[in-house]
Amino acid sequence: MIHLSSRSVLVCIASLLLAFSACKTKYWQKHDYQSSKLVIDQQIAPDSSLINYIAPYKQRLKAQMDTVIGQAAQMLPRSPNDGQSLGGNFFADALLALGQQLDHEVSCSLGTKFGIRVDIPAGDIQVGKVFELMPFENYLTVLTLTGEDLLELGQFIAKTDGQPVAGMSVTIKDQKLIAMRIQGNLVDKNKTYKLVTYDYLANGGDNIEGISAPIQRVDTQTRVREGLIAYIEGLTKKGKQVDARRDERIIIVQ
């Protein structure tokens, strides 16, 4: 027979109580409550302390955004017509120029018509307008592609009724690629080409086809927006205005 001391009995009872309490189901009581809506409108008085705190930063930012960096010779709309838009052509031309500064072997550029967010009005171009045009934190990217890759890209451009490009010509009929040229020459499947775009598209953004498996990819530290600002400032220093024209980069055959 096992004899337990009173101390041992108390320890056993405490252990059993703890074990049973741990397994016990807990029931939570729901309390009724009343919801209410807080209307945020002009009736709410501004917090003067907060306004005073941010005022210097706001003024400094506004001064930077209002800085005029160039002149647009005409309005450059972003909405395409027959595969092209003046805003898209300007954007692609700028990309190509920036890409060739990074690598002189870059021969063509690519953007997307939905990546350009606003029209560029005629007259003064302010820094803030470039932020509106390209508000994303995208970086310039140079891709080395095969001729077959470029033809696949050309078919994508065809079935989407044209995209902003420069350094290339794409002929389309019934949303199918008829011909594609780079710097005036038909694309050769056996050659390689360097294209400048930006990392969002190189990563598959906007469902781009033909550039997802490049032979080589070079991601730069240059934001597209910063590049555009520098490009426009460069034109201004040369006494040139920001402008674009329709040409044979996208040809839609009826």
Side-chain angles (χ1 to χ4, degrees), residues 1-194:
M1 181 179 294
I2 299 175
H3 297 281
L4 297 175
S5 66
S6 59
R7 177 183 176 83
S8 298
V9 171
L10 289 175
V11 170
C12 289
I13 292 172
S15 299
L16 288 171
L17 289 173
L18 285 173
F20 283 116
S21 64
C23 299
K24 185 178 180 180
T25 302
K26 293 183 178 180
Y27 295 94
W28 300 93
Q29 182 67 39
K30 185 180 78 170
H31 294 279
D32 292 333
Y33 67 94
Q34 297 295 326
S35 62
S36 61
K37 294 183 178 180
L38 298 177
V39 179
I40 300 177
D41 56 20
Q42 297 298 323
Q43 294 182 3
I44 297 180
D47 187 333
S48 59
S49 62
L50 183 59
I51 291 175
N52 293 335
Y53 178 78
I54 67 174
Y57 304 99
K58 182 178 179 180
Q59 291 172 0
R60 191 183 311 166
L61 179 61
K62 186 177 186 303
Q64 292 175 343
M65 293 296 105
D66 290 347
T67 301
V68 176
I69 56 175
Q71 294 282 322
Q74 59 178 316
M75 178 181 178
L76 304 177
R78 68 189 183 106
S79 298
N81 180 21
D82 291 332
Q84 298 186 48
S85 72
L86 293 183
N89 287 359
F90 155 73
F91 180 69
D93 289 344
L95 277 184
L96 181 57
L98 293 168
Q100 290 174 337
Q101 290 175 7
L102 297 167
D103 185 336
H104 70 277
E105 293 182 352
V106 168
S107 57
C108 52
S109 66
L110 170 71
T112 59
K113 49 194 171 187
F114 298 117
I116 302 170
R117 312 306 287 186
V118 296
D119 301 333
I120 300 175
D124 290 347
I125 299 178
Q126 299 172 319
V127 170
K129 179 57 65 176
V130 183
F131 272 76
E132 293 177 31
L133 178 73
M134 179 55 66
F136 314 107
E137 297 301 299
N138 298 147
Y139 292 82
L140 291 171
T141 300
V142 175
L143 305 176
T144 302
L145 302 169
T146 66
E148 289 187 353
D149 290 335
L150 269 184
L151 291 173
E152 183 181 354
L153 172 62
Q155 182 54 51
F156 170 81
I157 293 171
K159 76 177 183 180
T160 54
D161 296 316
Q163 297 291 346
V165 296
M168 70 171 73
S169 174
V170 181
T171 304
I172 305 166
K173 184 174 182 180
D174 298 328
Q175 294 188 317
K176 296 187 182 301
L177 178 65
I178 302 300
M180 185 176 188
R181 297 176 182 272
I182 300 296
Q183 295 295 331
N185 300 311
L186 287 171
V187 173
D188 186 338
K189 291 183 178 180
N190 299 314
K191 288 186 177 181
T192 60
Y193 302 85
K194 289 188 178 182

Side-chain angles (χ1 to χ4, degrees), residues 236-251:
T236 302
K237 288 179 181 178
K238 295 176 183 177
K240 297 180 179 180
Q241 293 181 310
V242 170
D243 204 358
R245 61 186 178 86
R246 296 181 63 86
D247 51 28
E248 296 187 340
R249 67 185 74 191
I250 301 291
I251 305 170

